[in-house]
Amino acid sequence: MGVSLKDVAQRAGVSVKTVSNVVNDYPHVTPAMRARVQQAIDELGYRPNLTARHLRKGRTGIIALAVPELGNPYFAELASAVIDAAARHHYTVLLDHTAGMREKEMLVCQGFQTHVIDGLILSPIELENQDLHGRTDTSPLVLLGEREYDAPYDHIAIDNVAAARSAVRHLIAIGRQRIAFLGARAESARQPAHLRLRGWREELSAAGLPHDDSLVAPTDGYGRADGAQAMATLLDRGVRPDAVFAYNDLQAIGAMRVLGERGLRVPQDVAVVGFDDIEESRFGAITLTTVAPDKQAIARQAVNCVISRLTDSAEAEPRRLRPGHDLVVRESTLGRHQ
Amino acid sequence: MGVSLKDVAQRAGVSVKTVSNVVNDYPHVTPAMRARVQQAIDELGYRPNLTARHLRKGRTGIIALAVPELGNPYFAELASAVIDAAARHHYTVLLDHTAGMREKEMLVCQGFQTHVIDGLILSPIELENQDLHGRTDTSPLVLLGEREYDAPYDHIAIDNVAAARSAVRHLIAIGRQRIAFLGARAESARQPAHLRLRGWREELSAAGLPHDDSLVAPTDGYGRADGAQAMATLLDRGVRPDAVFAYNDLQAIGAMRVLGERGLRVPQDVAVVGFDDIEESRFGAITLTTVAPDKQAIARQAVNCVISRLTDSAEAEPRRLRPGHDLVVRESTLGRHQ
DNA sequence: TTGAAAGCGCTAACAA
DNA sequence: TTGTTAGCGCTTTCAA
């Protein structure tokens, strides 16, 4: 094994406690003693064994983040922000992905890596209420995203309905009337996209436009290919929208690809709005108008929630936080030269 | 604290060892005993404390992966593959990013989270040879990517020179003569892109074409904006290539955006080839021809390297593995209808 | 200000 | 087949 506290103590001719004091910057250590111990530490190349420390303290300083898919830039960017936010509090992040599968989501929230993670931030897709109620693990759990649960856990999500409405409002403002919604979930009993779909419906109603269900295109997944396929299906059915509001940027990008293949111009023939504001949306041949959730805020709030549950003795009520969002208008609705 | 082995033992009226045996599926336990212990476990809701197990065993089953930037889809996709590869061996991945900063890279490879990570997979950018030689941490380290070091560590990278040459060869084969290289590093003494740049040079020479240094455009970073800026700079200087080979897909995508803004058609006026084969490259208005490294193989080999160093007693020679790569030809060189 | 000793929860050697 | 016991390396009372 490696060098332990005891080895250092022996070398310096002091007790283990003294070495521990030095390592932990305990204030009441004479400079001379500190120097002597430090020398022994350096000579031996001592590194504290954090596993032992964790066992003793009952805390590891590691929090887990579970997202559906790291290949989705939204989650990659979010993960990046969470890692940074956690680092600012001296926490480390253990990252996992669930592929949006209920099984995996349950596994993760049931406390994988027992006692090695202090808390969990989970962005669920298929998880059900009952799965959450069955949770026995006692470490803090923070939920992220559009799904709503009535379980006593902190939940962080932007106002999806309002955000979706702002997107649709923008499309109406530029004169669009037949606005398709891409990305309703095809075969899921629950509807993960329900809030954005509701926003679409509400804003159309508010504008006195019908919400024609033939304009709602289901998808199986949340990727570019799913958006492309949904768009193609819609067009193949003879539906001809003058705008598309997609569940997320990836689907919007897939849809734009298909529109291009079919000779339809964006935005002249069909305007497109996405959701997430991933960096990719700022650099395509046609940049994408999109709803931009404040990812930094989401990450920060999520980490803060976990840490405050860990730190504050008071078991407060579950919190419901709403980070901000913005509509970022780009070429896919306004065209290149505006 | 939570429920411990001792509590379960007490409840079941047996010794801790017996409970431990049951928890660890030790074979020589009578079914009756197993049932009795299992019942106590269930009643108490016992979950083993992995931290304690880790301390005792000297292993945690956690390996760290440090990449420059999770916002770069190549690394996000790679991380995803590593997490899966690790999971297949019952390892968990702790993900960190270095922002390509030498300081952070040094910190990471100097053994952050001492004794809580069993090994490290690092994709360095600025790290220097001497940093590696100064490494005192004894846990296995596996290096990823283009940078070359003469330090005794496993290194996994595709044949960057050959891959770059295949890209340039393709451009020459479709009749291009003035092929720019995007993404040489501007102010770095070391040249992280040196192998791909060398491939560019070698293939041009082999074809009897001059390698005009005015066709080499430096960038500061590795993102879309950097590619866009480099392309713009090139065009502003009056340089007019008929093809661009970019260090990576992101830069290629940024370059294509600028070409479009300037009214240059891809591929008719300027053909573009990238490197990485990120998913984004398959869905743009103009899909991107690119070098596709075998990410699955890279991930698999990296995880295998770490684990075999952990497992096999024999301290073998440092390995140099070369996963495969492919040139994926798409619209940015052949056009839409081919 | 420093030392001695107990114990975090687990595994593994040894005993029974 | 099951029980006893000694640590893994650290922090932390309590005493000196």
Side-chain angles (χ1 to χ4, degrees):
Chain A
M1 286 301 312
V3 183
S4 80
L5 267 191
K6 196 155 46 163
D7 300 323
V8 178
Q10 213 150 38
R11 175 96 173 199
V14 298
S15 82
V16 198
K17 176 58 166 45
T18 305
V19 182
S20 176
N21 284 341
V22 171
V23 171
N24 293 288
D25 280 325
Y26 181 70
H28 308 292
V29 183
T30 53
M33 180 57 88
R34 183 178 298 279
R36 180 144 68 102
V37 172
Q38 190 57 53
Q39 189 183 350
I41 288 177
D42 294 341
E43 286 171 2
L44 264 43
Y46 167 76
R47 310 290 308 272
N49 182 325
L50 297 185
T51 300
R53 182 179 293 174
H54 295 162
L55 173 59
R56 179 61 229 227
K57 301 194 111 167
R59 289 280 171 78
T60 62
I62 299 175
I63 61 186
L65 170 67
V67 298
E69 194 57 73
L70 222 42
N72 181 332
Y74 173 72
F75 291 113
E77 292 174 14
L78 183 64
S80 191
V82 169
I83 290 175
D84 290 335
R88 282 195 290 275
H89 296 274
H90 307 288
Y91 273 78
T92 307
V93 175
L94 201 149
L95 194 55
D96 209 349
H97 50 200
T98 62
M101 285 165 45
R102 184 175 167 194
E103 299 282 295
K104 184 67 200 266
E105 291 175 348
M106 288 172 64
L107 207 74
V108 159
C109 90
Q110 202 42 254
F112 82 127
Q113 294 284 341
T114 343
H115 295 261
V116 2
I117 63 170
D118 288 346
L120 169 65
I121 301 170
L122 170 65
S123 182
I125 290 191
E126 292 289 346
L127 196 73
E128 297 294 342
N129 246 318
Q130 68 218 60
D131 304 332
L132 235 30
H133 282 109
R135 176 176 145 100
T136 56
D137 195 285
T138 55
S139 64
L141 166 64
V142 174
L143 267 6
L144 255 40
E146 189 170 2
R147 288 293 305 265
E148 311 264 3
Y149 301 94
D150 62 346
Y153 296 107
D154 295 333
H155 185 183
I156 297 167
I158 65 166
D159 185 337
N160 274 279
V161 176
R165 290 189 63 159
S166 74
V168 175
R169 193 177 316 126
H170 169 64
L171 288 169
I172 295 171
I174 59 169
R176 307 302 162 129
Q177 306 256 358
R178 295 180 49 73
I179 303 171
F181 182 89
L182 242 61
R185 194 62 179 280
E187 353 113 15
S188 179
R190 300 308 225 73
Q191 178 54 269
H194 69 297
L195 294 178
R196 298 181 193 174
L197 187 57
R198 186 196 300 168
W200 171 81
R201 216 171 263 132
E202 287 183 6
E203 191 63 28
L204 288 178
S205 296
L209 294 170
H211 38 83
D212 183 351
D213 275 354
S214 72
L215 285 170
V216 175
T219 57
D220 288 335
Y222 302 101
R224 300 173 188 82
D226 302 294
Q229 192 178 20
M231 191 73 241
T233 305
L234 218 51
L235 295 173
D236 288 343
R237 278 214 316 262
V239 178
R240 173 63 194 280
D242 57 12
V244 169
F245 173 43
Y247 172 77
N248 68 13
D249 281 1
L250 292 184
Q251 292 182 348
I253 286 164
M256 285 203 289
R257 168 75 197 173
V258 167
L259 290 168
E261 287 172 353
R262 305 289 179 103
L264 293 166
R265 294 162 307 160
V266 175
Q268 295 90 333
D269 300 317
V270 183
V272 178
V273 178
F275 207 111
D276 282 351
D277 190 31
I278 60 179
E279 190 175 329
E280 179 175 350
S281 302
R282 303 205 273 276
F283 281 91
I286 299 158
T287 58
L288 180 64
T289 295
T290 185
V291 173
D294 188 342
K295 300 186 196 80
Q296 299 302 323
I298 296 172
R300 191 170 1 97
Q301 293 177 1
V303 170
N304 286 345
C305 274
V306 172
I307 292 178
S308 75
R309 295 256 167 225
L310 246 22
T311 312
D312 304 354
S313 43
E315 272 306 307
E317 283 293 291
R319 266 165 295 187
R320 185 71 178 78
L321 299 181
R322 288 202 176 285
H325 60 87
D326 259 314
L327 183 71
V328 183
V329 176
R330 302 204 184 95
E331 296 166 1
S332 68
T333 54
L334 287 194
R336 172 89 45 110
H337 302 293
Q338 292 258 0
Chain B
M1 286 298 315
V3 183
S4 79
L5 265 192
K6 200 161 30 171
D7 300 322
V8 178
Q10 214 149 38
R11 173 95 174 201
V14 298
S15 81
V16 257
K17 178 55 166 46
T18 305
V19 182
S20 176
N21 284 342
V22 171
V23 171
N24 293 288
D25 280 324
Y26 182 70
H28 308 292
V29 183
T30 53
M33 181 58 90
R34 184 178 296 280
R36 178 143 68 103
V37 172
Q38 189 59 53
Q39 189 184 351
I41 288 176
D42 294 340
E43 285 171 2
L44 265 43
Y46 167 77
R47 310 290 309 272
N49 182 325
L50 297 186
T51 300
R53 184 180 290 173
H54 295 161
L55 173 58
R56 177 62 227 226
K57 301 193 110 165
R59 288 281 171 76
T60 63
I62 299 175
I63 61 185
L65 170 66
V67 298
E69 194 57 71
L70 221 42
N72 181 333
Y74 173 73
F75 290 114
E77 293 174 14
L78 183 64
S80 192
V82 169
I83 290 174
D84 290 335
R88 283 196 289 277
H89 296 273
H90 307 288
Y91 274 78
T92 307
V93 175
L94 200 149
L95 194 55
D96 209 347
H97 50 200
T98 62
M101 285 165 45
R102 184 175 167 194
E103 298 282 295
K104 183 68 201 263
E105 291 176 349
M106 287 173 64
L107 208 74
V108 159
C109 91
Q110 202 42 254
F112 82 128
Q113 293 285 342
T114 344
H115 293 263
V116 2
I117 63 170
D118 288 347
L120 169 66
I121 301 170
L122 171 66
S123 181
I125 289 191
E126 292 290 346
L127 197 74
E128 297 295 341
N129 247 318
Q130 67 219 59
D131 304 332
L132 236 29
H133 282 110
R135 177 175 144 100
T136 56
D137 195 284
T138 54
S139 64
L141 165 65
V142 174
L143 266 8
L144 255 39
E146 191 171 0
R147 289 292 305 266
E148 310 262 4
Y149 301 94
D150 63 346
Y153 297 106
D154 294 334
H155 186 183
I156 296 167
I158 66 166
D159 185 336
N160 274 280
V161 176
R165 290 190 63 160
S166 74
V168 175
R169 193 178 316 127
H170 168 64
L171 288 169
I172 295 171
I174 60 170
R176 308 301 162 129
Q177 305 257 357
R178 294 179 50 71
I179 302 171
F181 182 89
L182 241 61
R185 194 62 180 279
E187 352 115 16
S188 178
R190 299 307 226 72
Q191 180 52 268
H194 69 297
L195 295 178
R196 298 180 192 175
L197 187 57
R198 187 196 300 168
W200 171 82
R201 215 169 262 134
E202 286 183 8
E203 191 62 28
L204 288 178
S205 297
L209 293 170
H211 37 81
D212 183 351
D213 275 353
S214 74
L215 285 171
V216 176
T219 57
D220 289 334
Y222 301 101
R224 300 173 188 82
D226 302 294
Q229 191 177 21
M231 190 73 241
T233 305
L234 217 53
L235 295 173
D236 288 343
R237 279 213 316 260
V239 178
R240 174 62 194 278
D242 58 12
V244 168
F245 173 44
Y247 173 77
N248 67 15
D249 281 2
L250 291 183
Q251 293 183 347
I253 286 163
M256 284 202 288
R257 168 75 198 173
V258 167
L259 290 168
E261 286 172 353
R262 305 288 179 104
L264 293 165
R265 295 163 306 161
V266 176
Q268 295 89 331
D269 300 317
V270 183
V272 178
V273 179
F275 207 110
D276 283 352
D277 191 30
I278 60 179
E279 192 177 327
E280 179 175 350
S281 302
R282 303 204 275 277
F283 281 90
I286 299 158
T287 59
L288 180 64
T289 295
T290 184
V291 173
D294 187 342
K295 301 186 196 79
Q296 299 302 324
I298 295 173
R300 191 170 3 96
Q301 292 178 1
V303 169
N304 286 345
C305 274
V306 172
I307 293 178
S308 77
R309 296 253 167 226
L310 247 21
T311 314
D312 304 353
S313 44
E315 272 306 308
E317 283 293 291
R319 266 165 295 186
R320 185 72 177 77
L321 299 181
R322 288 202 176 285
H325 61 87
D326 259 315
L327 184 71
V328 183
V329 176
R330 302 204 184 95
E331 296 167 0
S332 68
T333 54
L334 288 193
R336 173 92 41 114
H337 303 291
Q338 291 259 359

